[in-house]
Amino acid sequence: MLALGCDHGGYALMQEVKKHLDQRGIAYQDFGCYSEEAVDYPVYAKKVGKAIQDGSCDKGILICGTGIGISITANKMKGIRAALCTDCFCAEATRLHNDANVLAMGGRVLGTGLALKIVDTFLDTPFSGDDRHKRRIAMIEG
Ligand code: RB5
């Protein structure tokens, strides 16, 4: 199950992401926000982070205007590895190397076409499982 969260700056792109996930038959839980009315991005980052921490979701997508505030917040939570991606190379590498469990994007930064390719790359790339990457990920929390 995928956890989704955004603020008003990410709301429009999140609607496109949801349509795309529906087309792909990927299940998600939408933690809001639910309109373009101004809200505080940490609220939604924390809802998504908690859903991953409690095991009800295994990955998440967070979108704010830049992707920065929402990823900074998520990365303060234990076990959350949020990767702010602006291209498919980084989306692939962060799954292979960092086993990132949250994709963060900027709704005011990316066009829809690129954002959806980034989503697909992130969701379709497995963690490499290489020992060196496991060691480094363990060191993040240690
Ligand atoms: C909201 O105006 C904006 O600050 C927010 O979406 C995000 O870009 C923060 O990092």
Side-chain angles (χ1 to χ4, degrees):
M1 178 70 73
L2 198 54
L4 305 182
C6 67
D7 75 353
H8 52 290
Y11 178 79
L13 180 57
M14 187 59 90
Q15 305 321 298
E16 298 300 324
V17 169
K18 285 197 289 181
K19 268 190 247 167
H20 185 67
L21 295 173
D22 289 340
Q23 281 164 4
R24 287 196 53 181
I26 295 172
Y28 57 81
Q29 199 174 342
D30 183 2
F31 290 93
C33 64
Y34 304 113
S35 78
E36 287 188 316
E37 188 183 328
V39 292
D40 300 324
Y41 58 79
V43 170
Y44 304 94
K46 288 182 182 183
K47 284 177 191 274
V48 166
K50 280 180 187 148
I52 294 172
Q53 286 177 329
D54 72 20
S56 56
C57 292
D58 57 335
K59 287 197 185 68
I61 298 177
L62 288 172
I63 310 177
C64 66
T66 58
I68 296 171
I70 212 158
S71 58
I72 289 173
T73 310
N75 276 321
K76 291 195 173 294
M77 301 177 75
K78 190 170 173 51
I80 304 304
R81 293 180 300 281
L84 173 55
C85 293
T86 53
D87 59 69
C88 294
F89 179 85
C90 289
E92 181 182 47
T94 198
R95 288 291 308 127
L96 290 170
H97 293 203
N98 316 121
D99 197 14
N101 49 17
V102 173
L103 168 65
M105 298 188 292
R108 295 172 181 159
V109 178
L110 298 172
T112 304
L114 176 57
L116 298 182
K117 286 274 182 207
I118 290 171
V119 167
D120 285 342
T121 304
F122 184 84
L123 295 179
D124 296 343
T125 305
F127 175 48
S128 69
D130 290 348
D131 284 345
R132 69 185 189 286
H133 295 310
K134 285 185 182 166
R135 182 180 72 243
R136 292 163 188 162
I137 292 165
M139 289 170 75
I140 295 173
E141 297 287 352

